[in-house]
Amino acid sequence: MKMLRSCRLLLWQVALRLSYNVVIASLCREGSDIFTSVRENSPTGEFISSINITAGPRANTIRLCLSGRNANWFYLEGRTIRLNSSVFRVLDREVEGSVLIAELICYENDIIQGNYRILVEILNENDNKPNFLLETIQPFTISELTAVNSVVFTVKAVDADGDMISYIIDPSSQDAEFFRIDLPNTGKVVLNKPLDYETRTHLQLIMWAQESNTVDKFNTSAVLNINIEDGDDQYPHFLPCTPVSPGVPVCMNPTYTTNITQKHQDVGLDFSPGPITAEDGDKGINAPLTYTILSGQTHSHSPLDSCTNVCTGVFASPTGDDQGRFTINNTTGEIRLTRAADDQRLTTNYMLTIMVCQVDDRLKYSVASVLVRVLYENAFPPAFNRTTYKGFIIQSSSPASIVTTYGNQVLQVQVSDRDFPDGRNPNIHYLLHPPSELYQVTKEGVLIAKTNQLRAFDRQILQVIARDEESGEEVSASVDIEVLQRGQAVPSGAFKEQQLFGDVDSTLAGGIAVLILIVLLSAILFLLLWTVHRRRVQNPEDRPAIAFGKHPNVRLLWFHMVSSPPVFVDESSHGSRAFTRQSGSFHGRQGVYTRRPSLLPPPSSSQLSEPGESRTRPPLPPPSSSSHLFTVAEKHEGGAHTWEDLRLPVEPASIHGEDIPAVNTGMPQRDENMKTD
């Protein structure tokens, strides 16, 4: 019985365990699919959803896994699904799409018991700004003939967030006035005003694309470059072009003028203000042009007829007052004179009418006048009556004053032309060369100065040119203008001109006078010194005779002039020490030095017999020193001796004993008994 109870208990336990396993297995089947959403750019760990599978006492037998295409964007935290993003891996709806799809798998004892879908919608955030499509903002060209109010181009921008975009023209753009946008959401740009290639060949525009349905209003801009194409809408015109008014591209045709004489024949004419030439008003097209002569003074016909019958080569003028005397090259516009003009007394000038038109459109033409003046032969050129004019202007605060000349008369520079009976050529034009900012010259030759810009004592030299506008001859003269002080009188004449600078500051004048006086005194002193020096060099009486000796007790002496001729000691007899060098400018002066009588040798018999005669030794060769040496003689007159100091004219530093050669004839070098004075 007990054994039976034990078996029943065991069976109940097995039954209970089996029933418990069945309940646990059913837990995987209690889950469901997950549908949720998350905002893009959400941070890491953002909650996605919770799993509705509850765990029982034996829940550790259940295992959950994530799989599928976007499973890497999620991770499980217990029974919770969270976003798996990072700083470098941001959830972006524009990149990943609008939905993330994954699968939740439930395992029991490593056996799949359930599969559940996970669908997560990515909610959009406004994190992108609009961007223009490149093909809509490339440079493009439109014709200047494009009609106003027509759509000229369209721009397009896209927003990755799918926001609505509106388009705006930046009003600060340089050329914003030419365009407008009627429908901001379409991007269609309309021409607002006419285009003109002759005024503007290039336009630039700034466009903005902006979000219109968001709070952030993200926007972007682009620069559009628009080239204008020239259209054939302008007429040709003659050059030079003079605009009708500033900023208006309409030209007034010039009147071409030239001068001829009766000697001119079969020559090309040169015109003023330039050669006859024209250009197409449409410079971008530059259509070919043709020239014709329409008529003279009395003949006229339709310009259209002339342009209709254009032919290459030379187009002769129609019959008129010029009588076919002129021809024009229809390609270059050059006019030639085929035969000589009539007498100037009969025909003073010829007036021609010329026309230029487009070859491809004869209705586009322009007309100009040509004046040919017949002149007498120009035999004499114009000439000024003087080459230099003198002018004065008084310093003043007045903005302008007339330049005057001597006697306070108005200075007028004029030329005379002997081709005219009265000498006055009406075609003379005066001008300054180079142009001056302070002076101007009128048609009558009067000079006007800007007085308030001039200073006293200023001086300008101007060159005035007189040009004959008919012959083209020019002649010039100079004008010397001095600016006077306030209140200073204008000089009355060229030879009685007053001192212009008499009112110079007295201190300055005194300084100048002192400086001049010092210069004069210096010059006089220099002349005096130079004269004295010259006299000293040239006067022979100022040259001394000098005697030099080697003995230390002997010094240089002057000698007194004696009435009797000097007696020279014979060197062979007495062995005296003497040397000489006579200067030609001293005329025989002699220097003498002697010893005491007790030491003098007895005179020779020749000296006693002939006292009036003396023999001198031959002159010694000149010493190498630069010192001057003179004759040294001994004189004995009854034992009486006369001495005089010698003054050496040269500096003492130049006299040295070693520089003077000694003539020794046996005399001892030192003589203690020698007497010196």
Side-chain angles (χ1 to χ4, degrees), residues 8-19:
R8 290 180 177 177
L9 182 59
L10 181 59
L11 291 174
W12 277 106
Q13 290 178 352
V14 171
L16 287 173
R17 181 174 294 179
L18 291 174
S19 63

Side-chain angles (χ1 to χ4, degrees), residues 131-424:
N131 291 307
F132 281 99
L133 298 179
L134 293 178
E135 59 270 18
T136 64
I137 58 174
Q138 295 297 320
F140 59 94
T141 302
I142 58 177
S143 173
E144 67 169 339
L145 303 180
T146 303
V148 179
N149 298 325
S150 61
V151 177
V152 290
F153 61 93
T154 302
V155 295
K156 181 71 175 177
V158 295
D159 190 308
D161 297 323
D163 300 321
M164 295 181 60
I165 299 174
S166 59
Y167 302 91
I168 303 171
I169 296 176
D170 193 336
S172 64
S173 301
Q174 181 180 0
D175 304 312
E177 59 182 347
F178 287 94
F179 305 97
R180 71 174 190 271
I181 296 179
D182 294 335
L183 300 175
N185 294 331
T186 61
K188 294 182 179 181
V189 181
V190 180
L191 184 63
N192 190 48
K193 62 183 295 186
L195 302 175
D196 185 10
Y197 178 86
E198 287 69 36
T199 304
R200 298 291 300 276
T201 60
H202 177 79
L203 302 177
Q204 194 174 73
L205 197 64
I206 299 178
M207 295 287 300
W208 289 90
Q210 178 177 288
E211 296 174 352
S212 58
N213 61 336
T214 62
V215 178
D216 299 322
K217 301 294 182 181
F218 289 143
N219 56 56
T220 187
S221 64
V223 179
L224 280 74
N225 293 296
I226 305 164
N227 298 316
I228 299 178
E229 183 181 20
D230 196 7
D232 191 5
D233 61 339
Q234 300 291 329
Y235 283 64
H237 56 263
F238 287 92
L239 299 177
C241 172
T242 303
V244 175
S245 61
V248 178
V250 178
C251 297
M252 294 186 299
N253 291 328
T255 297
Y256 297 97
T257 60
T258 189
N259 301 323
I260 62 174
T261 64
Q262 290 180 285
K263 291 184 177 181
H264 286 84
Q265 183 176 353
D266 194 21
V267 293
L269 302 180
D270 295 327
F271 291 91
S272 176
I276 296 176
T277 183
E279 67 177 7
D280 186 9
D282 300 308
K283 297 180 181 179
I285 299 176
N286 198 19
L289 306 176
T290 183
Y291 301 86
T292 56
I293 296 178
L294 293 181
S295 66
Q297 288 180 335
T298 59
H299 184 80
S300 64
H301 62 279
S302 172
L304 191 58
D305 296 340
S306 298
C307 280
T308 304
N309 299 317
V310 169
C311 60
T312 58
V314 175
F315 196 96
S317 61
T319 302
D321 286 356
D322 57 14
Q323 299 179 359
R325 185 173 279 106
F326 302 96
T327 60
I328 188 171
N329 188 304
N330 67 341
T331 303
T332 63
E334 180 189 20
I335 293 181
R336 295 185 64 85
L337 178 66
T338 58
R339 65 177 188 272
D342 296 333
D343 189 348
Q344 198 271 348
R345 291 171 294 182
L346 301 177
T347 305
T348 58
N349 56 62
Y350 297 94
M351 180 66 73
L352 307 178
T353 302
I354 59 175
M355 183 185 68
V356 62
C357 62
Q358 292 184 197
V359 174
D360 56 351
D361 189 353
R362 312 294 169 81
L363 296 178
K364 291 185 173 63
Y365 65 90
S366 184
V367 178
S369 299
V370 175
L371 176 61
V372 181
R373 290 192 286 258
V374 181
L375 306 178
Y376 286 109
E377 288 294 327
N378 187 15
F380 303 98
F384 284 99
N385 56 3
R386 63 180 64 182
T387 58
T388 302
Y389 293 85
K390 186 67 176 179
F392 302 95
I393 192 76
I394 299 177
Q395 185 184 18
S396 172
S397 59
S398 174
S401 298
I402 296 176
V403 178
T404 60
T405 186
Y406 295 111
N408 204 20
Q409 300 295 321
V410 176
L411 176 62
Q412 188 174 16
V413 292
Q414 286 187 332
V415 297
S416 59
D417 193 339
R418 289 190 292 171
D419 290 326
F420 295 85
D422 57 354
R424 298 180 62 86

